[in-house]
Amino acid sequence: MEATARITAVPDGLGGTRLPVLESDGPLALRRTRAAGAYARVTVVGAMSAPLGGDRLAVEADVEDGAALAVDSAAATVALPGRGGAHARYDVRLTAGAGACLRWLPEPLISAHGSDLRMTTRVELATSARLVLREEQILGRYGEEPGTLTTRLTVHRAGRPLLDQELSYGPEAPGGWDGGAVLGGHRATGQLLVVDPGFERNPPAAALLGDSAVLTPLAGPAVLVTAVAADALVLRRVLDGALQTFG
């Protein structure tokens, strides 16, 4: 299956945001949901099981100058094996213009046993744009070994690289992914990225957040919180704490 869902957010001229493009496709159903303030809110609803092996799925969101968009999801995304053993792809492409605000806060991605998913998230930000982005990966459902999962997050600000990282887990990943230098036996991992022009004047300092999370200032007005945990609930608590502080 190939499917691409698209969102375009623009100012409505009254202090809010409207959505001239809200285009669902295949298993990616987009619904406008209740929001507060200037933000328009879109919830991604899974219309069928996906991604399966061989699927090619994508979500594109364009937040134009001065608009504010919050995107979440109704439930976790579960990567499942498909027939033939082909890997699946899930690509997220985000842009935010001058003075725009984008909050990308989906539910976790679960890598089920036997699955093979390659996921990329690419973000293009104007100099004055603000971004809050959360990613969470759960390696295996309860009592099962994980599938193979490769994720890459690339963020550019004003055309210059801000963050580019790739992570791989599971049986087809390079050795050591489950060792003490990476997950240390944990099965939930995630990160919160906040890009805020205000950090240029008052950048946060690096800090440990509990026993298994760290806040790292980036070479730009941004911070990255990275965490590992025993399960999804503990992971979310850590990232929510950081979100309340910086989001």
Side-chain angles (χ1 to χ4, degrees):
M1 177 187 297
E2 294 188 9
T4 300
R6 295 179 175 88
I7 308 167
T8 300
V10 302
D12 65 4
L14 300 172
T17 298
R18 62 185 181 91
L19 302 172
V21 177
L22 191 61
E23 182 179 319
S24 303
D25 192 12
L28 303 169
L30 306 180
R31 300 290 184 264
R32 180 160 190 168
T33 46
R34 182 175 297 179
Y39 279 87
R41 179 184 172 196
V42 174
T43 298
V44 182
V45 179
M48 61 184 75
S49 295
L52 302 173
D55 286 351
R56 300 292 184 267
L57 306 180
V59 178
E60 299 176 354
D62 181 15
V63 188
E64 297 190 3
D65 296 357
L69 175 67
V71 180
D72 57 20
S73 57
T77 297
V78 183
L80 297 166
R83 297 179 180 177
H87 72 268
R89 290 199 61 88
Y90 192 173
D91 298 319
V92 176
R93 297 183 284 270
L94 310 173
T95 61
C101 297
L102 173 59
R103 295 172 65 84
W104 186 264
L105 300 170
E107 293 301 303
L109 169 67
I110 300 173
S111 176
H113 180 66
S115 65
D116 187 350
L117 176 65
R118 322 286 169 85
M119 182 171 183
T120 63
T121 302
R122 302 179 186 276
V123 187
E124 297 284 344
L125 301 173
T127 302
S128 55
R130 189 174 192 276
L131 172 72
V132 177
L133 181 148
R134 181 183 67 213
E135 291 187 335
E136 298 168 304
Q137 294 92 33
I138 312 302
L139 305 180
R141 293 169 293 191
Y142 181 77
E144 73 174 9
E145 292 298 309
T148 298
L149 174 63
T150 299
T151 70
R152 184 171 182 178
L153 172 60
T154 305
V155 182
H156 286 78
R157 179 176 180 263
R160 302 181 64 181
L162 178 67
L163 177 66
D164 190 350
Q165 68 175 23
E166 183 172 294
L167 303 169
S168 294
Y169 312 107
E172 301 302 322
W177 64 271
D178 199 22
V182 186
L183 293 183
H186 295 90
R187 282 296 180 265
T189 181
Q191 56 194 358
L192 178 74
L193 173 66
V194 180
V195 183
D196 189 336
F199 290 161
E200 291 181 320
R201 300 184 301 274
N202 187 25
L208 293 175
L209 306 177
D211 296 330
S212 58
V214 62
L215 182 150
T216 305
L218 301 183
V223 295
L224 179 68
V225 176
T226 305
V228 296
D231 56 40
L233 180 59
V234 175
L235 177 67
R236 177 60 63 86
R237 286 174 178 167
V238 173
L239 295 181
D240 275 355
L243 183 61
Q244 291 175 6
T245 301
F246 299 105

